[in-house]
């Protein structure tokens, strides 16, 4: 008798254990059932069947077992199972919680058989492409008879591949012409699932790999795709990191292996996916939360079948059913979206490291402003450091100016635009160049600051800004829980000019309209991006309609490459400095560096203006100089002095149990875990 060990798909703590079920006679391990299969089982006296995951087999059981009711699909392989086990242990979640990440989106509570439709796609044959590239004209190996045939070939040269029906339509030809070319071995057709993913049905101009600069070449050579090694690629914005990712992936593909690329959720702009599409065509799959369940499910299936060999996505792309992974790349590795704040709570960088280990492949973390902890590891040799020091564009980095808002106020300017910023925006509008205005706002917490001297109420013990709680009219430290009375007079300089920070973008938009009535403005924040493809639509509009000013929050800081943006304005740099978090300085430096890096990416020199109440603040000064290393060397000293990460680990243990005795031993258990 064969017994399957099964984990029931449930978050209930009581069910977080293995149950035994008999395997029906007609099933054989390795053939139609295995580790990673999903099954339906009857549970206790419930009528409804529950979904379970097979995680092992044995010969007998100490219990009187029921038989599996139905064997469904295969959801994951052994490597992924190991990963889920590791996560359950590392992040204190039920095994079923981490296993749930591994199943096709939208099917964790319902297993359906989805009908699949195929359509015919066309591309040039590899043979014909190399014939074209090598210019063996004289040989005339391929005879092209008609103009219509030539039309199709020209179209396919520019566009990697395309559904046959669209090809015939846009070229004004017929299927017979395609067939004729196919017979000659010039083009080929292949079936492709009719997909719901809007990204993949668009055709993009194809690109060839660029000739690398010597510095890029050196970096690429250092990435050994044949072994498990962790790299940190530190390169200023626009230094050509993405090109290195593309070429490293090409090497991996040529070895018959596959790739995973993580990008921060909000920067999943069409721009980066377009660059991958243009280079690699239909073998990429895109996964992120803005896709519908149906779209994500389609992508999942394409990956599972091996049709997609490069998965690009937010952190959940790590769990895509891709086998034979040859490289994992995490772009903008410092981004906070790599941490999951819902169960299972995990850090995608740690999970990726583990997955790279199981897959025996390299992990490349890339950033212009690495996480302090990552850079610390790199300097200690735990991670290999790769560097790109220069921008590709000859204009180099933008000129950054810092404006002291206290001085503006002293001069009687109470508007949110300093004189300098106002003048520069005016100039840009006249020259028909574009401007990005960045509002540095995180979350909804408010802090309190003196507008005259820049004083911020901080916790005496923890040195982080205290958060204002309206309901209590008190200030609280979110680290240690200390409370303070609210202030109405600055204890530092006696001024009554106390300001609560946390202004909305909508208000600011109205002020821009008032200050620059001749300018067109578009806004990008949480409110304007809650519909599908909103990022893409807003950004395209900004570029194509040459909108004068883009106003936005964090979302506008990264990944975008607009040639005509020559001015970036930071309205108030301070608000991330004073978030109640020890990473305040780090966040500020990262944000300012990233946002200033948006300026002057085309063939015109860029400018950036940072408005602040704290012009001498180290993170702002170093961001002005775009000098990560100077920022790092200072910040790491502060961290060491105050015993903050990487010199300690911070954890939050939330314990909720109806009876104290029980929670007490849970707490002991947690302590034990960390004292090992
Ligand atoms: P990053 O990812 O570091 O911001 P990108 O890879 O986007 O940098 O490169 C910035 C710009 O420089 C892009 O427009 C890219 O096409 C171009 N570029 C990158 N590498 C090269 C190269 N070797 N030769 C010419 N242009 C390059
Ligand atoms: Zn405190
Ligand atoms: Zn003051």
């Amino acid at each position: 008798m064969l017994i399957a060990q099964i984990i029931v798909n449930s978050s209930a703590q009581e069910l977080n254990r293995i149950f035994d079920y008999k395997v029906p006679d007609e099933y054989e391990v390795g053939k139609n059932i295995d580790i990673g299969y999903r099954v339906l089982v009857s549970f206790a006296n419930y009528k409804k069947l529950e979904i379970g995951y097979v995680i092992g087999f044995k010969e007998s059981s100490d219990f009187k077992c029921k038989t599996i009711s139905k064997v469904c699909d295969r959801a994951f392989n052994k490597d992924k199972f190991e990963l889920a086990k590791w996560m359950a242990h590392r992040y204190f979640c039920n095994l079923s919680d981490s296993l749930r990440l591994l199943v096709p989106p939208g099917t964790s509570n319902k297993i359906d058989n989805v009908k699949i439709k195929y359509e015919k796609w066309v591309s040039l044959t590899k043979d014909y492409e190399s014939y074209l590239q090598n210019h063996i004209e004289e040989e005339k190996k391929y005879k092209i008879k008609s103009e219509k045939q030539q039309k199709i070939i020209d179209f396919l040269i520019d566009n990697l591949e395309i559904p046959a029906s669209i090809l015939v339509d846009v070229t004004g030809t017929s299927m017979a012409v395609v067939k004729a070319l196919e017979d000659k071995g010039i083009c080929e057709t292949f079936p492709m699932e009719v997909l719901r993913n809007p990204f993949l049905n668009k055709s993009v101009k194809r690109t060839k790999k660029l000739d690398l600069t010597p510095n890029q070449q050196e970096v690429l050579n250092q990435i050994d795709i044949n072994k498990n090694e962790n790299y940190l690629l530190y390169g200023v914005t626009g230094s050509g990191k993405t090109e290195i990712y593309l070429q490293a992936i090409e090497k991996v593909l040529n070895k018959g292996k596959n790739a995973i690329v993580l990008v921060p959720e909000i920067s999943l702009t069409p721009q980066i996916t377009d660059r991958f599409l243009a280079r690699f065509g239909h073998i990429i799959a895109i996964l992120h939360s803005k896709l519908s369940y149906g779209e994500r499910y389609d992508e999942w299936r394409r990956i599972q079948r091996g049709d997609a060999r490069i998965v690009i996505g937010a952190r959940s792309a790590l769990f895509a059913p891709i086998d034979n992974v040859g490289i994992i790349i995490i772009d903008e590795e410092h981004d906070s979206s790599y941490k999951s704040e819902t169960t299972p709570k995990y850090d995608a960088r740690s999970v990726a490291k583990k997955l790279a280990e199981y897959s025996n492949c390299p992990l490349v973390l890339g950033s212009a402003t690495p996480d302090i902890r990552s850079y610390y590891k790199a300097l200690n040799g735990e991670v290999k450091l790769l560097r790109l020091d220069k921008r590709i564009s000859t204009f180099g980095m933008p000129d950054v100016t810092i404006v002291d808002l206290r001085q503006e106020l002293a001069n009687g300017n109470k508007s949110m635009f300093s004189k300098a910023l106002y003048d520069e925006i005016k100039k840009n509008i006249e020259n028909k160049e574009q401007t990005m205005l960045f509002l540095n706002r995180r979350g909804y917490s408010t802090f309190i600051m003196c507008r005259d001297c820049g004083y911020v109420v901080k916790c005496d013990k923890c040195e982080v800004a205290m958060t204002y709680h309206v309901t209590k009219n008190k200030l609280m430290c979110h680290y240690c829980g200390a409370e303070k009375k609210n202030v109405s007079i600055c204890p530092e300089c006696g001024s009554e000019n106390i300001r609560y920070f946390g202004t909305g973008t909508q208000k600011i938009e109205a002020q821009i309209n008032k200050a620059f009535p001749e300018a067109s403005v578009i806004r990008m924040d949480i409110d304007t991006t809650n519909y599908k493809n909103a990022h893409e639509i807003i950004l395209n509009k900004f570029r194509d309609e040459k909108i004068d000013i883009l106003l936005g929050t964090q979302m506008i800081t990264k990944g975008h490459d607009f040639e005509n943006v020559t001015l970036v304005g930071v309205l108030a740099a301070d608000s991330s400095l004073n978030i109640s978090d020890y990473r305040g300085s780090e966040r500020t430096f990262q944000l300012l560096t990233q946002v200033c890096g948006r300026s002057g990416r085309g063939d015109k020199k860029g400018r950036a203006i940072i408005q602040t109440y704290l012009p001498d603040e180290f993170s702002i000064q170093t961001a002005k100089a775009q000098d990560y290393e100077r920022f790092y060397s200072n910040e790491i000293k502060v961290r060491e002095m105050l015993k903050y990460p990487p010199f300690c680990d911070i954890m939050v243990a939330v314990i909720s149990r109806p009876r104290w005795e029980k929670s007490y031993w849970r707490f002991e258990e947690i302590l034990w875990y960390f004292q090992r």
Side-chain angles (χ1 to χ4, degrees):
M1 187 173 59
L2 187 62
I3 304 291
Q5 297 174 292
I6 286 172
I7 297 274
V8 178
N9 180 33
S10 163
S11 297
Q13 181 73 40
E14 305 80 68
L15 300 184
N16 186 27
R17 56 189 184 88
I18 299 167
F19 294 93
D20 293 350
Y21 281 87
K22 269 187 233 158
V23 175
D25 289 338
E26 63 270 32
Y27 285 92
E28 199 181 308
V29 177
K31 216 165 127 197
N32 44 16
I33 190 167
D34 211 332
I35 289 178
Y37 269 71
R38 288 195 290 180
V39 294
L40 293 177
V41 293
S42 68
F43 199 74
N45 297 323
Y46 301 137
K47 269 225 184 74
K48 186 176 157 272
L49 296 178
E50 294 285 338
I51 296 176
Y53 308 102
V54 179
I55 61 152
F57 296 97
K58 54 185 188 178
E59 292 301 317
S60 65
S61 171
D62 301 336
F63 302 96
K64 195 171 161 288
C65 322
K66 295 182 184 171
T67 304
I68 291 172
S69 306
K70 184 173 183 238
V71 178
C72 306
D73 56 344
R74 176 160 203 173
F76 49 84
N77 63 20
K78 280 194 181 122
D79 276 1
K80 288 285 161 57
F81 176 54
E82 289 302 320
L83 192 67
K85 269 205 306 207
W86 177 81
M87 285 181 75
H89 178 72
R90 174 73 179 76
Y91 299 110
F92 293 110
C93 64
N94 284 3
L95 188 50
S96 70
D97 288 329
S98 52
L99 287 176
R100 201 174 304 126
L101 296 168
L102 305 177
V103 308
T107 69
S108 65
N109 293 313
K110 211 168 103 211
I111 303 179
D112 274 331
N113 290 322
V114 179
K115 282 234 163 51
I116 300 157
K117 257 173 65 190
Y118 289 93
E119 68 185 338
K120 197 189 240 180
W121 279 55
V122 191
S123 71
L124 294 175
T125 59
K126 282 264 167 303
D127 252 9
Y128 187 68
E129 279 196 353
S130 57
Y131 165 76
L132 280 182
Q133 271 170 24
N134 299 327
H135 301 294
I136 4 178
E137 308 278 355
E138 57 285 4
E139 252 181 62
K140 288 268 184 273
K141 188 165 148 206
Y142 295 95
K143 287 198 194 65
I144 294 149
K145 283 226 193 75
S146 73
E147 210 176 298
K148 281 188 171 167
Q149 291 181 356
Q150 191 59 49
K151 245 184 174 167
I152 287 185
I153 291 168
D154 290 344
F155 189 87
L156 289 174
I157 288 173
D158 276 347
N159 301 273
L160 278 173
E161 73 260 299
I162 187 164
S165 56
I166 298 176
L167 173 68
V168 168
D169 208 36
V170 296
T171 53
T173 56
S174 66
M175 286 309 282
V177 186
V178 176
K179 180 79 174 55
L181 287 171
E182 205 179 347
D183 291 343
K184 286 183 186 158
I186 291 176
C187 73
E188 60 191 354
T189 62
F190 49 95
M192 187 103 122
E193 201 170 311
V194 176
L195 294 168
R196 284 167 281 195
N197 189 337
F199 280 112
L200 292 178
N201 284 329
K202 75 180 178 193
S203 65
V204 288
K205 279 262 177 234
R206 67 190 314 184
T207 59
K208 294 239 167 58
K209 70 178 178 189
L210 302 171
D211 291 327
L212 296 181
T213 63
N215 193 188
Q216 277 176 319
Q217 190 62 54
E218 196 189 310
V219 167
L220 184 66
N221 291 347
Q222 282 188 66
I223 300 174
D224 184 349
I225 59 166
N226 295 313
K227 67 172 203 245
N228 174 230
E229 173 93 55
N230 299 316
Y231 302 92
L232 175 65
L233 171 53
Y234 158 53
V236 296
T237 52
S239 59
K241 294 186 291 296
T242 311
E243 186 60 32
I244 290 178
Y245 303 154
L246 291 168
Q247 299 204 16
I249 289 173
E250 193 180 329
K251 278 177 147 177
V252 165
L253 293 178
N254 288 340
K255 289 205 65 175
K257 295 197 164 187
N258 306 320
I260 298 176
V261 183
L262 301 194
V263 292
E265 177 75 280
I266 44 178
S267 88
L268 241 175
T269 62
Q271 290 188 349
I272 186 142
T273 44
D274 279 0
R275 277 176 82 177
F276 278 83
L277 259 180
R279 192 68 58 92
F280 298 112
H282 71 273
I283 59 166
I284 76 167
I286 296 163
L287 289 171
H288 62 89
S289 67
K290 284 275 159 71
L291 298 178
S292 70
Y293 271 129
E295 289 167 349
R296 269 193 277 170
Y297 184 78
D298 285 352
E299 290 295 81
W300 201 266
R301 285 194 33 86
R302 287 182 56 237
I303 300 163
Q304 203 161 36
R305 279 200 314 268
D307 288 355
R309 297 185 54 202
I310 305 171
V311 181
I312 304 176
R315 58 175 187 251
S316 60
L318 280 177
F319 307 108
I322 193 158
D323 288 328
N324 206 4
V325 177
I327 192 167
I328 304 174
I329 291 167
I330 303 187
D331 192 27
E332 312 274 15
E333 66 90 29
H334 61 277
D335 196 87
S336 55
S337 71
Y338 290 126
K339 278 194 182 165
S340 163
E341 312 223 314
T342 52
T343 303
K345 301 182 175 66
Y346 62 89
D347 182 344
R349 291 168 301 182
S350 310
V351 178
K353 186 168 166 234
K354 211 71 203 167
L355 182 61
E357 213 176 289
Y358 292 139
S359 312
N360 193 31
C361 78
L363 167 66
V364 181
L365 305 179
S367 176
T369 54
D371 188 318
I372 293 284
R373 286 163 299 176
S374 304
Y375 203 68
Y376 180 76
K377 279 186 199 160
L379 293 185
N380 284 329
E382 230 179 286
V383 176
K384 232 184 196 158
L385 184 61
L386 309 171
R387 303 170 51 122
L388 286 176
D389 292 325
K390 276 213 207 70
R391 258 196 181 187
I392 299 275
S393 147
T394 44
F395 285 89
M397 305 306 277
D399 288 331
V400 185
T401 316
I402 295 179
V403 172
D404 183 349
L405 286 175
R406 295 169 308 183
Q407 199 55 47
E408 289 291 318
L409 203 64
N411 295 344
N413 178 5
K414 286 205 167 155
S415 104
M416 61 188 319
F417 304 104
S418 60
K419 174 134 193 353
L421 182 56
Y422 181 86
D423 290 348
E424 290 300 318
I425 294 175
K426 267 271 189 240
K427 221 190 276 171
N428 250 33
I429 296 172
E430 273 159 29
N431 295 342
K432 303 224 171 330
E433 291 174 18
Q434 291 171 289
T435 303
M436 278 166 110
L437 290 180
F438 169 57
L439 178 70
N440 191 359
R441 187 186 71 166
R442 270 200 103 77
Y444 300 96
S445 65
T446 323
F447 68 95
I448 289 177
M449 183 162 92
C450 169
R451 285 190 78 171
D452 286 320
C453 72
Y455 170 80
V456 170
V457 184
K458 288 187 178 176
C459 174
D460 300 332
K461 268 188 286 182
C462 313
E463 268 294 300
V464 297
M466 296 183 89
T467 304
Y468 176 61
H469 285 244
V470 191
T471 45
K472 287 187 183 166
N473 190 29
K474 263 190 185 153
L475 298 161
M476 281 187 73
C477 171
H478 281 184
Y479 270 31
C480 70
E483 289 186 11
K484 264 192 197 175
K485 267 216 230 102
N486 190 18
V487 296
S488 52
I489 291 173
C490 174
E492 209 60 15
C493 75
S495 159
E496 287 181 11
N497 246 328
I498 297 289
R499 197 173 142 188
Y500 294 73
F501 275 77
T503 342
T505 38
Q506 221 163 348
K507 255 203 268 173
I508 294 172
E509 188 183 11
Q511 294 195 30
I512 296 174
N513 284 328
K514 225 166 111 193
F516 309 99
E518 73 278 31
S520 48
V521 184
I522 194 165
R523 179 160 64 94
M524 184 154 136
D525 57 20
I526 294 177
D527 301 334
T528 62
T529 52
N530 52 12
Y531 59 95
K532 216 179 140 169
N533 298 337
H535 292 97
E536 177 166 14
I537 292 164
I538 293 177
L539 294 173
N540 284 347
K541 201 165 169 208
F542 177 62
R543 182 181 49 222
D544 299 340
E545 296 176 22
K546 300 250 181 315
I547 306 266
D548 295 308
I549 299 171
L550 170 66
L551 166 68
T553 51
Q554 267 70 354
M555 296 173 190
I556 68 168
T557 56
K558 56 196 102 169
H560 317 301
D561 213 342
F562 296 111
E563 290 187 352
N564 197 36
V565 172
T566 52
L567 174 63
V568 163
V570 179
L571 292 173
D574 318 84
S575 37
S576 61
L577 207 51
N578 295 309
I579 50 174
S580 37
D581 189 321
Y582 70 91
R583 284 164 301 192
S585 304
E586 182 178 3
R587 290 265 188 272
T588 304
F589 176 82
Q590 285 165 348
L591 279 169
L592 294 180
T593 312
Q594 299 273 346
V595 73
C596 292
R598 297 303 118 209
S599 182
R601 290 173 77 92
D603 52 9
K604 290 177 211 131
K605 179 89 184 164
R607 293 114 67 218
I609 294 180
I610 301 174
Q611 304 192 139
T612 173
Y613 289 97
L614 301 166
D616 301 324
E617 186 66 34
F618 198 73
S619 55
I620 295 176
Q621 285 292 336
T622 44
K624 169 184 155 73
Q626 307 257 317
D627 190 345
Y628 176 80
E629 271 146 299
R630 205 150 66 82
F631 171 73
Y632 173 84
S633 61
N634 193 63
E635 180 67 14
I636 199 77
K637 280 186 209 128
V638 174
R639 298 275 180 96
E640 186 161 24
M641 223 154 61
L642 296 174
K643 280 270 170 298
Y644 276 135
F647 301 96
C648 74
D649 282 316
I650 293 182
M651 70 167 286
V652 178
V654 179
I655 296 165
S656 69
R657 276 277 166 124
R659 295 218 319 275
W660 167 247
E661 304 85 60
K662 282 215 167 168
S663 37
Y664 186 70
W665 68 255
R666 279 298 281 185
F667 189 57
E668 290 281 271
E669 197 178 62
I670 293 166
L671 279 181
W672 169 82
Y673 182 90
F674 281 97
Q675 282 163 354
R676 268 185 311 173

